Amino acid sequence: MEFPFKKKISTEEDTKQVANLFSEVLKEGDIVLLNGNLGSGKTFFVKQICRTFGIDNVTSPTFSIVNEYYGDIKIYHFDFYRINKLVELEDIGFDEYIDDVESIIFIEWADMFPEILPDKNIYNVDFIKTKNEEREISIKFVI
């Protein structure tokens, strides 16, 4: 996979293929920022990537803020959607999660609190609804 990457998708199988390709690039210490409207496929995308690392119990962290998964690699999966104030992330020890270089970190709705995000090993994944049921997945290596 070369960056920037962009692909139109219209099925879950298309999303799986992109997730599988992207998972081949990911390594410990990477942080993946996922942005897109509700229902655009962010959690499904994370689920597919986690499957490639031997993790099958992925659920949306919307209400828990963060889920931890253990398989071939440790994965932290955040969802900022229900966060109202930065202090809520500080209270759960967000900085400690970010400093864990032996994990891959996924953050849904990452654009809500850009000021707390680090400036290392960042991938930005955007899910953009185009027409009908089509979407476009755009992946950039930021830093």
Side-chain angles (χ1 to χ4, degrees):
M1 176 176 274
E2 293 184 24
F3 302 103
F5 175 88
K6 189 181 285 189
K7 182 171 181 157
K8 288 192 189 261
I9 58 168
S10 56
T11 66
E12 286 186 348
E13 190 57 40
D14 292 341
T15 304
K16 286 180 186 180
Q17 289 175 359
V18 173
N20 290 341
L21 280 173
F22 186 47
S23 69
E24 293 174 6
V25 182
L26 293 174
K27 63 188 180 319
E28 292 176 334
D30 285 343
I31 299 170
V32 181
L33 311 178
L34 302 114
N35 294 293
N37 294 332
L38 282 172
S40 62
K42 297 179 296 293
T43 301
F44 183 79
F45 188 74
V46 173
K47 283 181 183 182
Q48 297 311 310
I49 291 172
C50 287
R51 283 192 176 136
T52 67
F53 293 111
I55 301 166
D56 291 321
N57 61 331
V58 176
T59 59
S60 175
T62 299
F63 294 100
S64 61
I65 301 174
V66 63
N67 291 338
E68 298 179 21
Y69 309 118
Y70 300 90
D72 300 335
I73 195 166
K74 181 174 28 175
I75 293 179
Y76 299 125
H77 182 194
F78 287 86
D79 189 328
F80 286 1
Y81 186 72
R82 296 203 180 273
I83 302 291
N84 295 310
K85 297 178 184 171
L86 190 59
V87 71
E88 294 175 61
L89 290 170
E90 293 167 354
D91 287 347
I92 65 164
F94 183 77
D95 288 340
E96 292 174 30
Y97 285 104
I98 288 295
D99 290 340
D100 185 349
V101 296
E102 295 179 358
S103 68
I104 296 174
I105 299 170
F106 292 95
I107 304 173
E108 296 188 36
W109 298 93
D111 56 349
M112 293 180 68
F113 294 98
E115 65 274 17
I116 199 168
L117 300 173
D119 58 358
K120 60 176 181 154
N121 301 339
I122 303 277
Y123 289 94
N124 196 40
V125 182
D126 292 310
F127 296 81
I128 302 160
K129 287 188 177 183
T130 53
K131 58 183 179 181
N132 301 325
E133 293 300 312
E134 284 188 357
R135 292 178 177 86
E136 182 178 271
I137 295 178
S138 172
I139 306 173
K140 298 175 191 154
F141 183 68
V142 182
I143 299 172

